[in-house]
């Protein structure tokens, strides 16, 4: 019963991401067939790695969706959440809303390695995150959609932006509503994504 309810919440959240992804598009012309000639086996390369990870651990599907959610809330869906600290910036992984919360980085690394073997230096990590989120939702019994591709990877990340833009669990209702509205999302979207996050924590941990 709990797993079925959880999958339903993920399905609703997936529809929200259709809106969320559009929020992350800034002056970009994204298309579903962006890699049709440069990496024609992209989707068939990503999917089995996602399925394998979820088969090993069911809640990984929610984790991968959540990873995309947290990436998109900081300067758009640009893969900045994947960047490690460097001498010139502190990354987003240790931001308060992310530290001990987001996971699945090793799965993204596995997918990236497989994609690089198929078509080296072609596909952005930001697009891999977007595809992985969709495939995770489908694997959990949710809806599918055509993922628009062609994002460019961020070259920097911002700890402060992550702390300021991703709503922490301690946020008040009014703060959550404001945060989602700032990203072009509604209170309905807030309920769907928050419900998914709550079920992720309560059902599987």
């Amino acid at each position: 019963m709990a797993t079925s309810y959880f999958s339903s919440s993920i399905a609703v959240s997936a529809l929200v991401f259709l809106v969320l992804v559009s929020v992350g598009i800034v002056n970009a012309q994204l298309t579903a067939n962006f890699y049709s000639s440069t990496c024609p086996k992209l989707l068939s390369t990503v999917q089995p790695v996602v399925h394998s990870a979820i088969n090993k651990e069911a809640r990984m599907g929610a984790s991968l969706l959540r990873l995309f959610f947290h990436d998109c809330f900081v300067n758009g869906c640009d893969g900045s959440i994947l960047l490690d600290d460097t001498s010139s910036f502190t990354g987003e992984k240790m931001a308060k809303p992310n530290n001990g919360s987001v996971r699945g980085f090793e799965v993204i690394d596995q997918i990236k390695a497989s994609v690089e073997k198929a078509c080296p230096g072609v596909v952005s990590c930001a697009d891999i995150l977007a595809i992985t989120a969709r495939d995770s939702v489908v694997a959990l019994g949710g809806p599918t959609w055509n993922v628009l591709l062609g994002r460019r990877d961020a070259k920097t990340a911002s700890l402060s932006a992550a702390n300021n833009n991703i709503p922490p669990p301690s946020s008040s209702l009014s703060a959550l509503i404001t945060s989602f509205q700032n990203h072009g999302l509604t209170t309905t979207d807030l309920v769907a994504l928050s419900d998914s996050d709550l079920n992720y924590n309560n059902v599987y941990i």
Side-chain angles (χ1 to χ4, degrees):
M1 178 70 70
T3 301
S4 176
Y5 179 66
F6 174 71
S7 296
S8 297
S9 297
I10 287 293
V12 174
S13 298
L15 298 179
V16 174
F17 266 100
L18 294 176
V19 180
L20 185 59
V21 172
S22 69
V23 174
I25 300 173
V26 180
N27 296 324
Q29 296 298 319
L30 307 186
T31 64
N33 61 353
F34 186 83
Y35 298 107
S36 60
S37 60
T38 56
C39 193
K41 295 183 179 180
L42 172 60
L43 300 183
S44 62
T45 299
V46 174
Q47 187 183 68
V49 184
V50 173
H51 285 186
S52 176
I54 294 175
N55 286 337
K56 290 177 182 177
E57 182 187 3
R59 74 186 181 105
M60 183 55 71
S63 297
L64 294 170
L65 178 64
R66 188 177 194 167
L67 186 59
F68 185 49
F69 165 28
H70 283 220
D71 179 51
C72 292
F73 255 54
V74 183
N75 300 321
C77 312
D78 59 3
S80 60
I81 196 171
L82 303 175
L83 297 176
D84 292 323
D85 298 350
T86 71
S87 59
S88 59
F89 66 81
T90 302
E92 299 164 16
K93 292 181 179 180
M94 297 304 292
K96 290 181 180 179
N98 291 336
N99 187 21
S101 173
V102 294
R103 56 196 293 272
F105 294 104
E106 72 282 358
V107 177
I108 301 300
D109 287 343
Q110 292 170 13
I111 294 170
K112 178 63 174 176
S114 296
V115 170
E116 283 298 303
K117 288 181 180 179
C119 35
V122 173
V123 183
S124 68
C125 291
D127 279 340
I128 286 175
L129 267 180
I131 297 168
T132 299
R134 188 274 309 276
D135 287 354
S136 296
V137 169
V138 173
L140 291 171
T144 189
W145 63 90
N146 289 326
V147 180
L148 299 181
L149 303 169
R151 297 168 187 79
R152 294 183 178 180
D153 285 333
K155 297 185 182 300
T156 187
S158 173
L159 179 69
S160 61
N163 280 324
N164 292 329
N165 289 314
I166 302 172
S170 59
S171 297
S172 65
L173 178 59
S174 60
L176 284 171
I177 291 173
T178 299
S179 178
F180 272 64
Q181 287 178 340
N182 289 341
H183 289 83
L185 302 175
T186 68
T187 53
T188 300
D189 302 330
L190 163 63
V191 171
L193 282 169
S194 297
D195 185 49
S196 171
D197 260 4
L198 287 172
N199 277 296
Y200 159 75
N201 285 314
N202 292 338
V203 174
Y204 290 101
I205 292 180

